[in-house]
Amino acid sequence: MINGVDFLNFLYHDLSIKILTSLEEPSDLVSFSAVSRYWRHFVIKNGLCKHLCLRMFPQLSRVDHVNELGGTAKGHAEAGSSNFIEWEALEREHRVYAFLARGCLSFAVRECISEAIIASSTDNYPEESIDNTLEPRDRVAQRASYWSSKGQSDPAVPERLTYKLVADLCVITEINIRPFQAYFQFGCPIYSAKSVRFRMGHLKSSMDNLVDEQDSGNDKFVWTYTSQEFPMAQENRLQNFKIPEPILCIGGILQIELLGRVQRQEMDGLFYICVSHVQVMGRPLSPAFGIQMLEPSEKFVLEALSYTQPNSPEQTSSVSSLQMRVRESDEEEVIHLEYGYGYVGDIDDEESDEEEVIHIE
C-alpha cells in the first residue's frame, strides 16, 4: 500500500496468493496482515497461515479440522446465515494456525523424551534395560549404565528403541545418541550400530498398550515421518544427528532404528548393539496445543488449548534450518494476528490509511 493505494487491487488474485505464499516467516505474514482490515480479511479468507504451516510441516495434512478450548460458535447465527458460520470457521482456523506457526518457531527448545517405552530386545533385563538410556552418565553408583540388545550371529539384524515424548505435538530438531563402550571388557570395545534411522508418529488405537514385550514392532504405530539413514561412528561420544529440517511429531512417539552391527563380543562370538544415552531436542507445543486422534481414519483434530506463550527458553539452540525465531520487534503484531485483532492502529478509511500505514519492505 503506497500513498493510500492498495496494490492488491491491481494484481490478479492468483498472483497475490503466489506472492504471499512465498513468505517464509510468520512475522512477515503478520506484518502484511497488520496493514489494513482488507489485507487481514485477505489473509484469513485465503487461509494463508494454514498454508504457511503446511509448507513448514507437511505432517499437518492429516489435520481434519481445528478447534479451540471451549470452542463453540460465538453468539447465534441467524437462520440461513451460512456465510457467518463459514467466516467464523475461517477466523478460528486463522487464529489456531497463526499461533501454531509462532509456537513452532519460538517455543523453548528442551529435552523432549518423557519416558522409554520398549526395546526390540534386551540382553539382561532390567540391568541393561532401555530405561538406562535416559541417564546421561555411562556409570551410576559405580556400575555401568546402558542398554544392550540380545546377541545375534547375523550382523544385519536391526534393533529398535521406542520412546514417548513430553507432548503429543513436538517440533523435533535433533537427536543425539551415545554408543556404549564396554570398559570392563578386554580392549574396551564400542558396541555401536552402522547407521540409524528415526520414525515419529502415534499409536494406531488409544486402547493399545504401549509396553508389550511380545510386540515391540511397528504394527501398533502409525508413522507420520521416517528419516533418511544417518551413519553412526564407532566412537564413545554423544553423536549428533541433526535432521535436515525440523519435524513435527504428531502423537508423541519416537522410534530409533539401529541398523547393522559392527562389534562382536569375544566371549560368545555374537554381535551386539549397546547404547549409553539418547537425547531428543525440540520444541514441545503443550500446554498450548493438543490433538484428538480420529480412529480409524488416522486423521486428527488440532486443538488450541491456550494462547499463552510459555516461559522464555532456559537454553538456546543452534538450530537454524527454518530460522527458528520470531523477531522481537514483531511481537505485538503477532499477538494482534493470533487473537484476531487484525492490524495495529485504527484504520477506518483511506485518509487514515495514509497516516497509519505500515510499509512492507
Side-chain angles (χ1 to χ4, degrees), residues 325-345:
R325 67 189 185 278
V326 172
R327 296 190 295 255
E328 293 181 3
S329 60
D330 289 321
E331 189 76 13
E332 181 181 357
E333 294 173 84
V334 171
I335 295 173
H336 277 263
L337 175 62
E338 289 159 0
Y339 289 95
Y341 299 149
Y343 49 85
V344 179

Side-chain angles (χ1 to χ4, degrees), residues 213-228:
E213 294 291 345
Q214 303 302 317
D215 179 16
S216 61
N218 295 328
D219 292 343
K220 63 175 60 177
F221 300 107
V222 174
W223 301 120
T224 58
Y225 170 79
T226 300
S227 77
Q228 66 191 70

Side-chain angles (χ1 to χ4, degrees), residues 19-289:
I19 292 173
L20 295 177
T21 53
S22 68
L23 299 177
E24 296 183 353
E25 293 192 31
S27 55
D28 294 332
L29 197 54
V30 166
S31 297
F32 179 89
S33 180
V35 172
S36 69
R37 285 191 177 92
Y38 176 73
W39 285 21
R40 177 175 177 270
H41 184 279
F42 189 90
V43 169
I44 295 175
K45 182 180 179 181
N46 292 285
L48 297 185
C49 285
K50 178 180 179 180
H51 184 278
L52 174 63
C53 287
L54 284 170
R55 192 177 67 207
M56 292 165 57
F57 302 107
Q59 298 81 18
L60 288 170
S61 62
R62 292 175 179 258
V63 173
D64 184 79
H65 62 277
V66 303
N67 202 359
E68 294 173 312
L69 184 63
T72 56
K74 297 179 181 179
H76 298 280
E78 297 178 2
S81 59
S82 58
N83 289 340
F84 171 86
I85 298 174
E86 180 181 356
W87 179 252
E88 187 177 59
L90 287 172
E91 282 193 310
R92 178 170 58 250
E93 194 172 73
H94 167 76
R95 287 191 298 269
V96 172
Y97 280 110
F99 193 57
L100 178 66
R102 177 191 179 190
C104 288
L105 300 180
S106 66
F107 283 10
V109 174
R110 50 166 289 194
E111 165 66 63
C112 287
I113 293 180
S114 170
E115 60 180 294
I117 298 175
I118 197 167
S120 52
S121 76
T122 301
D123 187 45
N124 185 19
Y125 186 87
E127 287 80 7
E128 298 174 335
S129 80
I130 185 177
D131 292 330
N132 294 334
T133 64
L134 303 183
E135 170 58 54
R137 299 168 295 173
D138 62 356
R139 303 186 195 188
V140 177
Q142 297 183 343
R143 297 189 59 178
S145 174
Y146 63 98
W147 161 82
S148 174
S149 71
K150 289 186 178 296
Q152 297 286 345
S153 57
D154 181 2
V157 175
E159 295 288 346
R160 294 180 296 271
L161 302 177
T162 307
Y163 298 88
K164 181 174 176 56
L165 304 182
V166 295
D168 286 338
L169 288 175
C170 288
V171 178
I172 303 302
T173 57
E174 61 184 62
I175 299 172
N176 304 309
I177 304 173
R178 181 181 181 182
F180 177 68
Q181 182 172 24
Y183 55 85
F184 46 80
Q185 293 183 357
F186 177 76
C188 300
I190 300 173
Y191 291 92
S192 67
K194 285 186 177 180
S195 61
V196 295
R197 182 167 57 207
F198 309 115
R199 299 183 187 273
M200 304 180 201
H202 58 86
L203 285 170
K204 283 185 178 179
S205 171
S206 58
M207 302 301 293
D208 281 342
N209 182 9
L210 284 175
V211 180
D212 184 353
E213 294 291 345
Q214 303 302 317
D215 179 16
S216 61
N218 295 328
D219 292 343
K220 63 175 60 177
F221 300 107
V222 174
W223 301 120
T224 58
Y225 170 79
T226 300
S227 77
Q228 66 191 70
E229 286 189 31
F230 298 89
M232 174 178 277
Q234 193 177 11
E235 299 175 3
N236 177 26
R237 60 180 175 84
L238 192 64
Q239 300 182 34
N240 175 260
F241 302 95
K242 184 168 290 187
I243 301 171
E245 291 185 343
I247 300 299
L248 182 62
C249 178
I250 299 170
I253 301 295
L254 180 139
Q255 186 177 91
I256 299 174
E257 293 184 289
L258 301 160
L259 307 171
R261 302 162 187 247
V262 298
Q263 184 62 52
R264 190 193 302 265
Q265 184 172 252
E266 185 176 341
M267 68 177 64
D268 60 9
L270 299 178
F271 289 91
Y272 291 80
I273 300 177
C274 301
V275 172
S276 173
H277 182 47
V278 172
Q279 180 188 61
V280 177
M281 302 302 296
R283 303 179 189 272
L285 299 183
S286 65
F289 291 95

Side-chain angles (χ1 to χ4, degrees), residues 1-8 32 35-39 347 349-350 353-354 357-360:
M1 184 176 292
I2 302 175
N3 296 326
V5 178
D6 190 344
F7 77 89
L8 287 184
F32 179 89
V35 172
S36 69
R37 285 191 177 92
Y38 176 73
W39 285 21
I347 306 175
D349 50 39
E350 292 185 1
D353 277 348
E354 296 181 8
V357 65
I358 300 175
H359 295 288
I360 311 298

